[in-house]
Amino acid sequence: MSTTGSNLTAPTQFLEANGEKYAYRRFGQGPGRPLLLLQHFMGTLDNWDFAITDPLALGREVILFDNAGIGRSSGKVPQTIAGMAKHALTFLDGLGLKSCDVLGFSLGGMVAQQMVQERPSILRRIVLVGTAPRGGEDIMHLEKPGLARYFKDPKLQGYAILQKIFFAPTESSQAAGEAFIRRLAQRREDLDPASGTEVAAAQMAAFRDWEQFTGERFAELKNIRHPTLVVNGVHDEMIPVSNSYRLVENLPNAMLLVYPDSGHGSLFQFHESFTRHAAVFLNQIEGAAR
Amino acid sequence: MSTTGSNLTAPTQFLEANGEKYAYRRFGQGPGRPLLLLQHFMGTLDNWDFAITDPLALGREVILFDNAGIGRSSGKVPQTIAGMAKHALTFLDGLGLKSCDVLGFSLGGMVAQQMVQERPSILRRIVLVGTAPRGGEDIMHLEKPGLARYFKDPKLQGYAILQKIFFAPTESSQAAGEAFIRRLAQRREDLDPASGTEVAAAQMAAFRDWEQFTGERFAELKNIRHPTLVVNGVHDEMIPVSNSYRLVENLPNAMLLVYPDSGHGSLFQFHESFTRHAAVFLNQIEGAAR
């Protein structure tokens, strides 16, 4: 099934399932379980940094996918994480995958948590980056002054805003952010359309719903026995690191990796370290985490 | 210099420096910087689990050392971390080592922090396991009911108490603890005498002093630019994981690794994962952490 080993050049494919058409890319090979990547707020297939995808694709198939209403996938963007998880499960069923690993970043990490609650058997190992449990705190409040200033800045267009909001305000982190957006810009053909305000509004509604909880806070995490790797930048302004602390304090089989001098996009800043540690985690054979 | 690759069989050596005689073991080889291991409360050379030391010694020399007044080292156990750091620096100078990496566990992690403050150039990369910054919270309060019950239990003798206090009260963690103390018991010759109440009292005084701070809490951590890996078990009762959170939130170049289902001895419970991730960290070439 694999056509090429890089998100720079992998062609976009389309899958029809349950009345929707899903855009996706699938590349890489190796002994590992296929790894489904679930994307962040407003992100499309083109927002997956090849510095992440390609090293991971050396040991396994990597599958990128546009959820409903994103990029070239049909349908409407759901206003809940549960709605997004349903599409992701439909997509995996459509591919005929009985079990895979998953890497969910930010919004995608919430979708991964929901998927494992609904269908534990379809996921083996879980990587959650820059994300929060249901009932987490301070999730994606873009109206906070520290973040709003970037959205109000007319000089910041396109990917330039990602350099500001995904990276810490240090020289070293901003340099990593610049390298990140340069990498994203290298793919020039077969691109997704960028997400607009309708996508943003629906996904934001999903974040607001995800902050709500009923009953004992974080109790549902105790049921997830899957080996899980939680990753965060210590200065994440969009989804603070405290949410990652709560994840590992409540998930029974999760290990935590926190990066210094970095924000929401710690995996892109430390792509070399991240892909190495993630590979150590994904390549473990026994049932225990790590 | 290396004589054997295992703490099961490495002979104890002695170094005279600055009027003291220090007991140590040194083994392993490889391209890495020598790695100095600094031991926990009441621990001797024999408390280093070969499941940790031996994999690390595949890529570098590992150096275990009894601080003053411990095991077969001469002198009195200092009542401050600074006093212990002074002996460790004297020992390294005596060996003629100009620069090494360090792995400090618990008390040893505090000594490592003090060493790097006093002589930054002698350390390259730092691994801090189950430890706390100066001014940390709830450091080694063995009088807490959760811990005191084990010390009061006459059925728990020798290493058996370590199984209780270093591991979480789950079946899986206790099983790992049993395996750990079985491994420790495998070395039968050339052993250190166990530490007694005098050692305990002096080291406990050092913990109480380490909890104190003056000026801005954790401010001195900002000066440590060294790439640092902080590791903890999420259910550590002896030095809670919050101390590790504070370390990575204040050290400018530290990454955090937290293990699930484990206590103070997370490195022994997850020895395979720990030594792999630690090797990824220690083998990085560039200046940045990780």
Side-chain angles (χ1 to χ4, degrees):
Chain A
M1 309 288 273
S2 84
T3 49
T4 165
S6 175
N7 193 34
L8 258 181
T9 50
T12 305
Q13 304 181 60
F14 298 91
L15 174 84
E16 310 237 354
N18 204 22
E20 298 289 2
K21 186 181 78 170
Y22 297 106
Y24 71 103
R25 295 180 195 144
R26 185 173 185 173
F27 53 92
Q29 56 190 359
R33 199 73 56 111
L35 180 68
L36 176 69
L37 270 60
L38 298 174
Q39 191 56 291
H40 64 77
F41 176 64
M42 295 186 81
T44 70
L45 299 176
D46 303 323
N47 287 93
W48 281 116
D49 183 355
F50 65 81
I52 293 297
T53 57
D54 298 6
L56 290 170
L58 292 175
R60 63 196 53 73
E61 272 196 322
V62 164
I63 303 169
L64 320 180
F65 133 90
D66 278 333
N67 210 305
I70 306 293
R72 284 167 281 176
S73 285
S74 68
K76 271 175 76 86
V77 178
Q79 303 209 345
T80 63
I81 300 296
M84 298 174 196
K86 205 169 165 204
H87 282 291
L89 290 169
T90 301
F91 169 71
L92 289 179
D93 290 341
L95 283 183
L97 274 182
K98 296 271 179 288
S99 162
C100 65
D101 293 338
V102 67
L103 187 171
F105 173 41
S106 189
L107 175 68
M110 301 169 198
V111 176
Q113 291 173 66
Q114 187 69 30
M115 287 170 73
V116 75
Q117 295 283 8
E118 291 185 15
R119 188 113 58 91
S121 66
I122 205 161
L123 298 181
R124 190 193 61 136
R125 288 185 166 242
I126 302 171
V127 183
L128 301 175
V129 187
T131 193
R134 178 173 275 283
E137 59 181 14
D138 191 10
I139 297 174
M140 294 292 289
H141 284 278
L142 304 185
E143 74 281 8
K144 289 192 295 188
L147 293 170
R149 59 182 164 156
Y150 301 123
F151 292 95
K152 286 182 197 149
D153 186 341
K155 289 194 301 294
L156 297 175
Q157 298 290 332
Y159 287 152
I161 201 163
L162 291 183
Q163 180 182 335
K164 297 298 179 188
I165 62 178
F166 277 13
F167 295 82
T170 61
E171 209 180 307
S172 43
S173 189
Q174 283 299 305
E178 215 182 300
F180 165 67
I181 64 172
R182 266 203 309 270
R183 288 194 300 272
L184 289 189
Q186 283 185 46
R187 185 174 173 117
R188 300 245 167 92
E189 286 176 7
D190 181 20
L191 297 174
D192 268 345
S195 298
T197 51
E198 249 184 88
V199 171
Q203 291 182 336
M204 206 43 86
F207 286 131
R208 292 294 74 78
D209 175 74
W210 191 250
E211 281 185 327
Q212 308 304 314
F213 65 98
T214 52
E216 196 198 331
R217 202 174 192 178
F218 311 130
E220 73 279 10
L221 297 177
K222 315 246 191 248
N223 305 322
I224 304 177
R225 309 286 321 176
H226 296 60
T228 303
L229 173 64
V230 177
V231 180
N232 218 141
V234 73
H235 302 304
D236 191 336
E237 284 266 322
M238 307 187 82
I239 301 183
V241 68
S242 56
N243 289 292
S244 289
Y245 298 162
R246 298 301 94 75
L247 279 169
V248 298
E249 288 163 5
N250 291 283
L251 284 166
N253 202 5
M255 71 180 282
L256 173 64
L257 195 58
V258 175
Y259 283 108
D261 182 41
S262 57
H264 200 53
S266 65
L267 74 171
F268 306 126
Q269 181 165 345
F270 297 109
H271 52 85
E272 217 181 292
S273 167
F274 170 74
T275 52
R276 264 186 225 171
H277 287 287
V280 167
F281 171 76
L282 293 171
N283 294 341
Q284 293 277 106
I285 291 161
E286 83 282 13
R290 310 142 306 282
Chain B
M1 309 287 272
S2 85
T3 48
T4 165
S6 175
N7 193 34
L8 258 181
T9 50
T12 305
Q13 304 180 60
F14 298 91
L15 174 84
E16 309 239 352
N18 204 22
E20 298 289 1
K21 187 180 79 167
Y22 297 106
Y24 71 103
R25 294 181 196 145
R26 186 174 185 173
F27 53 92
Q29 55 189 1
R33 201 73 55 109
L35 180 68
L36 175 70
L37 269 60
L38 298 174
Q39 190 56 293
H40 65 76
F41 177 63
M42 295 186 81
T44 69
L45 299 175
D46 303 323
N47 287 92
W48 281 116
D49 182 355
F50 65 81
I52 293 297
T53 58
D54 297 6
L56 290 170
L58 292 175
R60 62 195 54 74
E61 270 196 323
V62 164
I63 303 169
L64 319 179
F65 132 90
D66 278 333
N67 210 305
I70 306 294
R72 284 166 281 176
S73 285
S74 67
K76 269 176 76 87
V77 178
Q79 304 208 346
T80 62
I81 301 297
M84 297 174 197
K86 206 171 164 199
H87 281 292
L89 290 169
T90 301
F91 170 71
L92 288 180
D93 290 341
L95 283 183
L97 272 184
K98 294 272 178 290
S99 163
C100 65
D101 292 338
V102 67
L103 188 171
F105 174 41
S106 190
L107 175 68
M110 301 168 198
V111 176
Q113 291 173 66
Q114 187 69 30
M115 287 170 73
V116 74
Q117 295 283 9
E118 292 186 15
R119 188 117 54 96
S121 66
I122 205 161
L123 298 181
R124 190 193 61 135
R125 287 184 167 244
I126 303 171
V127 183
L128 301 175
V129 187
T131 193
R134 177 174 276 282
E137 58 180 15
D138 192 11
I139 296 173
M140 294 292 289
H141 284 278
L142 304 185
E143 74 281 9
K144 289 191 297 188
L147 292 170
R149 57 181 164 156
Y150 300 123
F151 292 96
K152 285 182 198 150
D153 186 341
K155 288 195 301 295
L156 296 175
Q157 299 289 332
Y159 287 151
I161 203 164
L162 291 184
Q163 180 182 335
K164 297 297 180 189
I165 62 176
F166 276 14
F167 295 83
T170 62
E171 209 179 308
S172 43
S173 189
Q174 284 298 306
E178 215 182 301
F180 164 68
I181 64 173
R182 266 203 310 270
R183 288 194 300 271
L184 289 188
Q186 283 185 46
R187 184 174 174 118
R188 300 244 166 92
E189 286 175 10
D190 180 21
L191 298 175
D192 268 345
S195 299
T197 51
E198 249 183 88
V199 171
Q203 291 182 335
M204 207 42 85
F207 286 130
R208 292 294 73 79
D209 175 74
W210 191 250
E211 280 185 326
Q212 307 304 314
F213 65 99
T214 52
E216 196 199 331
R217 202 173 192 178
F218 310 132
E220 72 280 9
L221 296 177
K222 314 249 190 245
N223 305 323
I224 304 177
R225 309 286 320 176
H226 296 60
T228 304
L229 173 64
V230 177
V231 180
N232 218 142
V234 73
H235 303 303
D236 190 337
E237 285 266 322
M238 307 187 81
I239 302 185
V241 68
S242 56
N243 290 292
S244 289
Y245 298 161
R246 298 301 93 78
L247 280 169
V248 298
E249 288 163 4
N250 291 284
L251 286 165
N253 202 5
M255 70 181 281
L256 173 64
L257 196 56
V258 175
Y259 283 108
D261 183 41
S262 56
H264 201 53
S266 66
L267 74 172
F268 306 126
Q269 181 166 345
F270 297 109
H271 51 86
E272 217 182 292
S273 168
F274 170 75
T275 52
R276 263 186 225 172
H277 286 287
V280 167
F281 170 76
L282 292 172
N283 294 340
Q284 291 278 107
I285 293 162
E286 82 283 13
R290 308 143 307 282

